[in-house]
Amino acid sequence: MSGPGQVVRQVLFTNKAFWRNPASAFFTFAFPLMFLVIFTTLFGEDEIPVVGGVTVSVSTFYVAAISAFSVISACYTNIAISVSFQRDAGILKRIRGTPLPSWAFLLGRVVHSTIIAVILVAICALFGAAFYDAELPTRTLPAFLVTLLVGAASFSALGLAITAVIPNADASPAIVNASILPILFLSDIFIPFDNPPAWVDFVGKVFPVRHFSDAMQAAYFSPTGSGFSGVDLLVMAVWGLLGLVLAARYFSWEPRK
Amino acid sequence: MTVAIEVRGLRKSYGDVEAVRGIDLTVESGEVFALLGPNGAGKTTTVEILEGFRRRSSGDVSVLGDDPATAGAEFRARIGIVLQSTGVDPYLTVRETVDLYGGYYPNARPVDEVVDLVGLSEKRDTRVLKLSGGQQQRLDVAIALAGDPELLFLDEPTTGFDPGARRNAWEIVRNLSSLRKTVFLTTHYMDEAQNLANRVAVISNGEIVAEGPPSTLGGRHLAATVVRFRIPAAVADVPDWGQVPASDGTFELRTDDPTRMLHDMTHWAMERDVSLEALDVSRPTLEDVYLELTHELGATAGSE
């Protein structure tokens, strides 16, 4: 079978196994929606400026922010943790002993996470349109999709890269959350900063999370333009490439001892 | 006969520790070859070099005509690997798992045929997480067979099995050799090597200390027979058998001609109406040979 055919096959089998773990599947979807409801309930009354002089209510803002969070959760967090478990269980080593190209296995994993991310974002968008005055980004759909895919690809690559510093599967949730949660809090995902302190602003500029959130805001709320946020997408793509290079160099197929 | 595996002067070091110290092996196509040795002797290091998982420090290795260190997908399409303790996705069924792995190979065997071969027919639609340990191990073999490989590696296939599960696993390996597959297995059970292998190499402390068919391993077929018996203390006039008996009257005699020796002794005993108590005639077992071969050198190196 050809390489692309093998990727499709990996996606189908991964998907089959994914839905057979109902608890895991349920929380993958419930988690971002739960955050969306909690944060809008807590902070939703205020107004906040987003792009191009547009001001939206914070609850509307959260539709875009939690869309970005959904992608990070489905790609970065999910891939890092599940691949660590597969590595510890020896599944990666077993795959390595078959003729399946390594890239086909990993790409299948990434494509599946991206599909999950797309479904999550679609749910967020529909939920936002129904309850939080966030219009569906139909006019800016190309920008919306490109932002989503660049985010999914970049955070998937980073998720694969972080497995290199995870010593064993039991440690993976702690390490993955420790690496991403502080940045999420400082990057306009959970808490929108109007005038952030300089160091918070610095963190947001350096890491890809706020760029992703900003790009999502632009894709959702841009009043006139195409909704593309070039610089933000570029920074995300650079991080993604960095992740890919680090993963290619340090990714381990065998359990670490 | 063609050669499936050829190893010359293989060495592997981990830092200062030399786990494999210059071994030579030849495995013919179609034979079941066992690498027998205690834990830490270098078995897993050796087999993982042959499988292409580890790089050797030096020496020549040829597996199915390829160097596993540099060979690609075409080489991996011709081998099947059963590693020690590797998992599969717990939420897929037996059939789906065999189908998934078989799909990686150009000439996959029919899924149901493979499932039958390892005796999992009744569990074909059961999810992996509901299988017992022994059933999961059979699934491991099924996965390795899914691509219809020419050469199968089994790394300690029955470690941790109860006796019934071991018999089943042996049956599966015998089925494989009847399919004319070449099988390379590692084990630390002497009876496993004796029951399954056409040829055995004993590895100890990273070196091959004996090699041959189980029946002649370590010169076992040439070793002297031991005749043991005890003569009650009351019996006088015991002939000189070239040995002073132990304090309880036990003799332990070695001979290359046990027929004649037994005849002489029983003749003497019958004439005097004396009983040769606890009479025992034995030849060294594979276990004796194995312990003798591996004991002196000890086994401390290695990384298993």
PDB file of all heavy atoms in Angstrom, chain A residues 20 24 42 48 72 112 122 125 134 149 180 195 227 242:
ATOM      1  N   ARG A  20     -13.868   3.959  21.107  1.00  0.00           N
ATOM      2  CA  ARG A  20     -14.207   2.812  21.971  1.00  0.00           C
ATOM      3  C   ARG A  20     -13.784   3.050  23.409  1.00  0.00           C
ATOM      4  O   ARG A  20     -13.964   2.191  24.256  1.00  0.00           O
ATOM      5  CB  ARG A  20     -13.538   1.552  21.434  1.00  0.00           C
ATOM      6  CG  ARG A  20     -14.257   1.061  20.206  1.00  0.00           C
ATOM      7  CD  ARG A  20     -13.705  -0.259  19.773  1.00  0.00           C
ATOM      8  NE  ARG A  20     -14.228  -0.610  18.470  1.00  0.00           N
ATOM      9  CZ  ARG A  20     -13.766  -1.598  17.741  1.00  0.00           C
ATOM     10  NH1 ARG A  20     -12.761  -2.325  18.195  1.00  0.00           N
ATOM     11  NH2 ARG A  20     -14.288  -1.857  16.572  1.00  0.00           N
ATOM     12  N   SER A  24     -12.700   8.686  27.740  1.00  0.00           N
ATOM     13  CA  SER A  24     -11.686   9.562  27.172  1.00  0.00           C
ATOM     14  C   SER A  24     -12.290  10.437  26.071  1.00  0.00           C
ATOM     15  O   SER A  24     -12.050  11.644  26.007  1.00  0.00           O
ATOM     16  CB  SER A  24     -10.554   8.704  26.637  1.00  0.00           C
ATOM     17  OG  SER A  24      -9.840   9.391  25.666  1.00  0.00           O
ATOM     18  N   LEU A  42     -18.300  33.484  34.409  1.00  0.00           N
ATOM     19  CA  LEU A  42     -17.558  34.289  35.385  1.00  0.00           C
ATOM     20  C   LEU A  42     -17.286  35.706  34.882  1.00  0.00           C
ATOM     21  O   LEU A  42     -17.444  36.675  35.617  1.00  0.00           O
ATOM     22  CB  LEU A  42     -16.218  33.605  35.716  1.00  0.00           C
ATOM     23  CG  LEU A  42     -16.277  32.339  36.563  1.00  0.00           C
ATOM     24  CD1 LEU A  42     -14.884  31.742  36.712  1.00  0.00           C
ATOM     25  CD2 LEU A  42     -16.852  32.661  37.946  1.00  0.00           C
ATOM     26  N   ILE A  48     -14.513  43.887  25.519  1.00  0.00           N
ATOM     27  CA  ILE A  48     -13.072  43.863  25.302  1.00  0.00           C
ATOM     28  C   ILE A  48     -12.769  44.157  23.838  1.00  0.00           C
ATOM     29  O   ILE A  48     -13.469  43.661  22.946  1.00  0.00           O
ATOM     30  CB  ILE A  48     -12.474  42.503  25.737  1.00  0.00           C
ATOM     31  CG1 ILE A  48     -10.959  42.543  25.635  1.00  0.00           C
ATOM     32  CG2 ILE A  48     -13.043  41.361  24.917  1.00  0.00           C
ATOM     33  CD1 ILE A  48     -10.294  41.436  26.399  1.00  0.00           C
ATOM     34  N   ILE A  72      -5.201  23.276  20.837  1.00  0.00           N
ATOM     35  CA  ILE A  72      -4.008  22.991  21.647  1.00  0.00           C
ATOM     36  C   ILE A  72      -4.224  21.719  22.463  1.00  0.00           C
ATOM     37  O   ILE A  72      -3.354  20.859  22.570  1.00  0.00           O
ATOM     38  CB  ILE A  72      -3.691  24.195  22.564  1.00  0.00           C
ATOM     39  CG1 ILE A  72      -3.265  25.390  21.713  1.00  0.00           C
ATOM     40  CG2 ILE A  72      -2.613  23.837  23.580  1.00  0.00           C
ATOM     41  CD1 ILE A  72      -3.168  26.694  22.488  1.00  0.00           C
ATOM     42  N   HIS A 112      -5.337  12.449  12.783  1.00  0.00           N
ATOM     43  CA  HIS A 112      -6.487  12.123  13.626  1.00  0.00           C
ATOM     44  C   HIS A 112      -6.739  13.216  14.656  1.00  0.00           C
ATOM     45  O   HIS A 112      -7.870  13.640  14.865  1.00  0.00           O
ATOM     46  CB  HIS A 112      -6.309  10.774  14.317  1.00  0.00           C
ATOM     47  CG  HIS A 112      -7.504  10.390  15.132  1.00  0.00           C
ATOM     48  ND1 HIS A 112      -7.545  10.526  16.503  1.00  0.00           N
ATOM     49  CD2 HIS A 112      -8.724   9.940  14.766  1.00  0.00           C
ATOM     50  CE1 HIS A 112      -8.741  10.164  16.941  1.00  0.00           C
ATOM     51  NE2 HIS A 112      -9.476   9.791  15.902  1.00  0.00           N
ATOM     52  N   ALA A 122     -15.615  23.305  15.553  1.00  0.00           N
ATOM     53  CA  ALA A 122     -16.960  23.449  14.964  1.00  0.00           C
ATOM     54  C   ALA A 122     -18.003  23.504  16.075  1.00  0.00           C
ATOM     55  O   ALA A 122     -18.941  24.324  16.023  1.00  0.00           O
ATOM     56  CB  ALA A 122     -17.235  22.290  14.015  1.00  0.00           C
ATOM     57  N   ALA A 125     -17.802  26.888  17.725  1.00  0.00           N
ATOM     58  CA  ALA A 125     -18.341  27.947  16.864  1.00  0.00           C
ATOM     59  C   ALA A 125     -19.870  27.916  16.872  1.00  0.00           C
ATOM     60  O   ALA A 125     -20.527  28.962  16.989  1.00  0.00           O
ATOM     61  CB  ALA A 125     -17.803  27.783  15.443  1.00  0.00           C
ATOM     62  N   ALA A 134     -21.451  35.113  18.934  1.00  0.00           N
ATOM     63  CA  ALA A 134     -20.271  35.019  18.077  1.00  0.00           C
ATOM     64  C   ALA A 134     -20.738  34.531  16.712  1.00  0.00           C
ATOM     65  O   ALA A 134     -21.091  33.372  16.550  1.00  0.00           O
ATOM     66  CB  ALA A 134     -19.252  34.061  18.677  1.00  0.00           C
ATOM     67  N   LEU A 149      -5.657  25.054  10.819  1.00  0.00           N
ATOM     68  CA  LEU A 149      -4.729  24.009  10.379  1.00  0.00           C
ATOM     69  C   LEU A 149      -3.282  24.323  10.760  1.00  0.00           C
ATOM     70  O   LEU A 149      -2.540  23.422  11.158  1.00  0.00           O
ATOM     71  CB  LEU A 149      -4.845  23.797   8.860  1.00  0.00           C
ATOM     72  CG  LEU A 149      -6.178  23.185   8.415  1.00  0.00           C
ATOM     73  CD1 LEU A 149      -6.217  22.998   6.905  1.00  0.00           C
ATOM     74  CD2 LEU A 149      -6.425  21.854   9.122  1.00  0.00           C
ATOM     75  N   ILE A 180       2.246  23.711  29.497  1.00  0.00           N
ATOM     76  CA  ILE A 180       1.289  24.484  28.703  1.00  0.00           C
ATOM     77  C   ILE A 180       0.373  25.367  29.547  1.00  0.00           C
ATOM     78  O   ILE A 180       0.025  26.477  29.136  1.00  0.00           O
ATOM     79  CB  ILE A 180       0.456  23.544  27.778  1.00  0.00           C
ATOM     80  CG1 ILE A 180      -0.293  24.344  26.708  1.00  0.00           C
ATOM     81  CG2 ILE A 180      -0.532  22.689  28.565  1.00  0.00           C
ATOM     82  CD1 ILE A 180       0.574  24.925  25.636  1.00  0.00           C
ATOM     83  N   ASN A 195      -4.397  45.515  29.304  1.00  0.00           N
ATOM     84  CA  ASN A 195      -3.076  46.129  29.355  1.00  0.00           C
ATOM     85  C   ASN A 195      -2.163  45.227  30.176  1.00  0.00           C
ATOM     86  O   ASN A 195      -1.958  45.456  31.356  1.00  0.00           O
ATOM     87  CB  ASN A 195      -3.140  47.514  30.008  1.00  0.00           C
ATOM     88  CG  ASN A 195      -3.603  48.540  29.009  1.00  0.00           C
ATOM     89  OD1 ASN A 195      -3.027  48.651  27.929  1.00  0.00           O
ATOM     90  ND2 ASN A 195      -4.652  49.249  29.371  1.00  0.00           N
ATOM     91  N   GLY A 227      -9.228  38.485   7.436  1.00  0.00           N
ATOM     92  CA  GLY A 227      -9.124  37.751   8.699  1.00  0.00           C
ATOM     93  C   GLY A 227      -7.804  37.046   8.888  1.00  0.00           C
ATOM     94  O   GLY A 227      -7.562  36.432   9.914  1.00  0.00           O
ATOM     95  N   LEU A 242      10.233  24.324  14.488  1.00  0.00           N
ATOM     96  CA  LEU A 242      11.178  24.029  15.563  1.00  0.00           C
ATOM     97  C   LEU A 242      10.808  22.700  16.233  1.00  0.00           C
ATOM     98  O   LEU A 242      11.670  21.846  16.484  1.00  0.00           O
ATOM     99  CB  LEU A 242      11.163  25.167  16.587  1.00  0.00           C
ATOM    100  CG  LEU A 242      12.110  25.013  17.779  1.00  0.00           C
ATOM    101  CD1 LEU A 242      13.563  25.124  17.319  1.00  0.00           C
ATOM    102  CD2 LEU A 242      11.815  26.065  18.850  1.00  0.00           C
TER     103      LEU A 242
END
